[in-house]
Amino acid sequence: MKQVLVTGASKGIGKAIAIELGKAGYEIAIHYGRDEQGALDTLSQIEAASGKGRILSFDISNREQCKAEIDKDIAEHGAYYGVVVNAGITRDTAFPSMLGEEWDQVIHTNLDGFYNVVHPTIMPMVGARTGRIVTNSSLSGQIGNRGQVNYSASKAGLIGATQA
């Protein structure tokens, strides 16, 4: 069975993606950062549709933690067929009053998270001669949005990284 890692799969768009991929016959590695109950609900819905999944928890802004958890999951279950980079956060505020921490949190999660998740998955996918990588960006990354300078910058960077 082909496996897909979906980050941010405990709620919203990531949850919907994970459930639909599970219904389509993929085994889902359901990632969550803080919402364990949401991840359990995602797993329950996948299993209710006769799908398979498992839950992974790590902070996508933490490079070492990502690598350790992803390497462990790949060692136990094999290379992923696909990775959906969906997890992200917002810390909306007017730029003049934006704190450095608000900038850093969004950039480290939304943009660094791409590297932190994709980098340890890419060579196992290459070795398996398979792989699909899907990134979830935003219109804010293309045209910007007032009060979302940090978010827009992170999503624009994600678009560039995906195109490269």
Side-chain angles (χ1 to χ4, degrees), residues 74 78-83 118-133:
I74 291 171
Y80 302 119
Y81 170 76
V83 177
V118 173
H119 195 263
T121 66
I122 197 85
M123 289 313 294
M125 286 192 291
V126 169
R129 299 175 93 58
T130 189
R132 307 289 184 267
I133 299 169

Side-chain angles (χ1 to χ4, degrees), residues 15-98:
K15 181 176 199 153
I17 290 168
I19 291 167
E20 288 305 310
L21 287 171
K23 288 179 183 177
Y26 296 95
E27 183 174 343
I28 309 301
I30 301 161
H31 162 264
Y32 77 94
R34 292 181 295 274
D35 185 5
E36 181 180 17
Q37 188 55 50
L40 290 167
D41 184 60
T42 302
L43 178 60
S44 175
Q45 289 188 50
I46 290 169
E47 289 174 341
S50 300
K52 288 184 64 179
R54 61 186 177 279
I55 296 175
L56 303 174
S57 179
F58 52 85
D59 176 358
I60 66 168
S61 70
N62 182 317
R63 184 165 297 140
E64 293 77 24
Q65 188 182 57
C66 279
K67 180 168 177 27
E69 293 300 318
I70 290 169
D71 286 351
K72 178 181 170 192
D73 192 56
I74 291 171
E76 291 176 17
H77 301 281
Y80 302 119
Y81 170 76
V83 177
V84 178
V85 182
N86 169 73
I89 63 169
T90 60
R91 297 290 182 264
D92 297 349
T93 190
F95 186 72
S97 62
M98 183 178 293

